[in-house]
């Protein structure tokens, strides 16, 4: 792809809105979705975005808005996406993704009164792969992801004078790959390289509040490989040279419970297999982080509150491998 992909949703709602309000905006550069049922599936995909900008923006309300039914506001900007699904399938092949564009997602709500649940989600990614298979399936895939744009940025802002249940959540990633299988083996080779600056920011404000939440996560490279069966093999290389900056903030005066969390990681890999199946997991992982990684969680309650749960976590490289009991 060459050129920009920009999507914007604006809703100006003054006075009372009786029912729930839902507003979702999505922007993407390249998108591929494939599926197979009781058949083999071979994927050979190359996605390249050399454009300038992939941007999704959703804005809702105004200072006098009374959102009596609550709602959900989301903005998602993903430059390159591959999604594959199989049942009774053997999924194999190669996915090669490269992004040079700036990727931004922004969601915002302004309101006076929200006596219901209201959430604002923002998600930005340069490259994304999701492969899910079940009912006696298997996977054997090679993944190549490169993120070289200037910024990968997700920002969520949820604001109200009086809110019963208000949340702002933001997530930004340079490269993300998620593989899950049930009923066979998973063999995955992944090479992820991020040079973009990754920023995730979540802000929630309410003068009076019941439950308030601000959660943000940012990652240079993320890989998750799971199999609810016998065998998993992972060979992964992750290099992050871009900075990762994550902030989560809540500000209120009088209320009850506030939850604020910020998590930043340069490189992350997770692998797991089934313990009841006498599972086996073989993993080779190389992680190199040269970018600054920071996470900040800030909470301000100027008057009175009941509970505050807050935390911040910043890690250059994180790797977790385990054999676990399935949820059923």
């Amino acid at each position: 792809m060459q050129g920009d992909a920009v999507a914007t949703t604006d809703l100006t709602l003054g006075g009372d809105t009786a029912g729930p309000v839902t507003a979702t905006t999505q922007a993407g550069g390249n998108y591929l979705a494939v599926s197979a049922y009781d058949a083999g599936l071979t994927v050979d995909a190359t996605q390249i975005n050399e454009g300038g900008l992939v941007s999704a923006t959703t804005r809702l309300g105004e200072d006098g808005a009374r959102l009596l039914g609550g709602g959900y506001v989301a903005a998602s900007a993903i430059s390159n996406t591959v999604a594959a699904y199989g049942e009774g399938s053997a999924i194999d092949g190669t996915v090669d993704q490269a992004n040079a564009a700036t990727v931004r997602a922004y969601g915002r709500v302004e309101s006076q009164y929200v006596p219901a649940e209201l959430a604002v989600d923002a998600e930005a990614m340069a490259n994304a792969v999701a492969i899910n298979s079940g009912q006696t399936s298997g996977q054997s895939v090679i993944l190549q992801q490169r993120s070289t744009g200037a910024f990968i940025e997700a920002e969520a802002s949820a604001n109200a004078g009086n809110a019963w249940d208000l949340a702002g959540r933001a997530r930004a990633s340079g490269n993300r790959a998620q593989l899950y299988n049930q009923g066979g083996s998973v063999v995955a080779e992944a090479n992820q390289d991020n040079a973009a600056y990754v920023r995730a920011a979540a802000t929630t404000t309410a003068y009076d509040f019941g439950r308030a939440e601000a959660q943000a996560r940012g990652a240079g490279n993320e890989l998750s490989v799971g199999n609810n069966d016998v065998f998993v093999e992972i060979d992964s290389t992750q290099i992050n040279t871009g900075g990762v900056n994550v902030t989560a903030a809540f500000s209120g005066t009088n209320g009850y419970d506030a939850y604020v969390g910020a998590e930043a990681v340069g490189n992350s890999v997770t692998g797991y297999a089934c313990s009841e199946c006498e599972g086996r997991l073989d993993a080779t992982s190389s992680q190199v982080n040269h970018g600054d990684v920071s996470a900040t969680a800030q909470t301000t309650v100027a008057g009175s509150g009941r509970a505050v749960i807050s935390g911040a976590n910043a890690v250059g490289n994180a790797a977790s491998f385990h054999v676990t009991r399935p949820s059923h």
Side-chain angles (χ1 to χ4, degrees), residues 32 43 45 47 78 80-84 94-97 125-132 139 141-145 174-180 192 222-224:
L32 172 66
V43 179
Q47 296 178 322
I78 304 175
N80 296 312
T81 302
V82 170
T94 300
V95 176
D96 191 341
Q97 297 175 316
M125 282 185 282
N127 300 303
V129 173
I131 302 176
N132 292 282
Q139 299 179 17
V141 294
I142 299 174
L143 310 177
Q144 303 276 348
Q145 295 179 312
N175 300 304
R176 185 190 303 173
Q178 296 175 308
L179 312 180
Y180 177 77
Q192 298 174 313
E222 295 180 284
L223 173 65
S224 175

Side-chain angles (χ1 to χ4, degrees), residues 239-283:
I239 301 173
N240 179 58
T241 55
V244 180
N245 178 265
V246 178
T247 59
F250 168 71
S251 178
T253 301
N254 298 307
Y256 288 88
D257 304 325
Y259 304 86
V260 181
E263 183 178 2
V265 61
N267 299 302
S268 173
V269 58
T270 301
Y272 58 95
C274 164
S275 63
E276 285 189 346
C277 316
E278 298 183 0
R280 173 182 169 184
L281 191 153
D282 294 341

Side-chain angles (χ1 to χ4, degrees), residues 6 31 49 80 85 88 96 106-107 116 122 150 170 199 206 215 244 257 297 315:
V6 178
Y31 182 86
N49 186 357
N80 296 312
Y85 178 77
D96 191 341
Y106 179 67
R199 176 179 177 266
Q215 299 287 339
V244 180
D257 304 325
V315 179

Side-chain angles (χ1 to χ4, degrees), residues 87-100:
E87 292 184 5
S89 302
I91 301 176
D92 63 77
T94 300
V95 176
D96 191 341
Q97 297 175 316
N99 174 70

Side-chain angles (χ1 to χ4, degrees), residues 106-305:
Y106 179 67
R108 183 178 180 86
V109 167
E110 294 283 352
S111 60
Q112 180 188 70
Y113 179 51
V114 189
E117 183 179 356
L118 176 64
V120 180
D121 285 348
E123 181 179 55
M125 282 185 282
N127 300 303
V129 173
I131 302 176
N132 292 282
S133 51
Q135 298 186 10
T136 315
S137 295
Q139 299 179 17
S140 179
V141 294
I142 299 174
L143 310 177
Q144 303 276 348
Q145 295 179 312
R146 298 176 302 282
S147 168
T148 59
F151 288 95
I152 311 297
E153 186 175 43
E155 182 174 353
S157 181
N159 309 277
N162 184 317
W164 291 11
D165 189 345
L166 186 64
R169 299 183 287 256
R171 183 164 184 170
S173 301
N175 300 304
R176 185 190 303 173
Q178 296 175 308
L179 312 180
Y180 177 77
N181 179 72
Q182 185 171 6
S185 64
V186 176
V187 178
E189 177 182 337
N191 293 281
Q192 298 174 313
D193 190 342
N194 176 66
Y197 184 81
V198 177
R199 176 179 177 266
T203 302
T204 301
T205 66
Y207 186 89
D208 296 312
F209 61 95
R211 181 187 186 278
E213 176 186 346
Q215 299 287 339
R217 174 179 168 82
N221 299 301
E222 295 180 284
L223 173 65
S224 175
V225 181
N227 188 22
N228 189 9
D229 210 280
V230 176
F231 184 68
V232 175
E233 180 179 318
I234 303 170
D235 185 354
S236 71
T237 300
Q238 297 174 315
I239 301 173
N240 179 58
T241 55
V244 180
N245 178 265
V246 178
T247 59
F250 168 71
S251 178
T253 301
N254 298 307
Y256 288 88
D257 304 325
Y259 304 86
V260 181
E263 183 178 2
V265 61
N267 299 302
S268 173
V269 58
T270 301
Y272 58 95
C274 164
S275 63
E276 285 189 346
C277 316
E278 298 183 0
R280 173 182 169 184
L281 191 153
D282 294 341
T284 302
S285 173
S286 173
Q287 296 176 313
V288 178
N289 181 69
H290 290 304
D292 294 334
V293 179
S294 66
T296 303
Q298 182 176 354
T299 305
T300 302
V301 178
S304 62

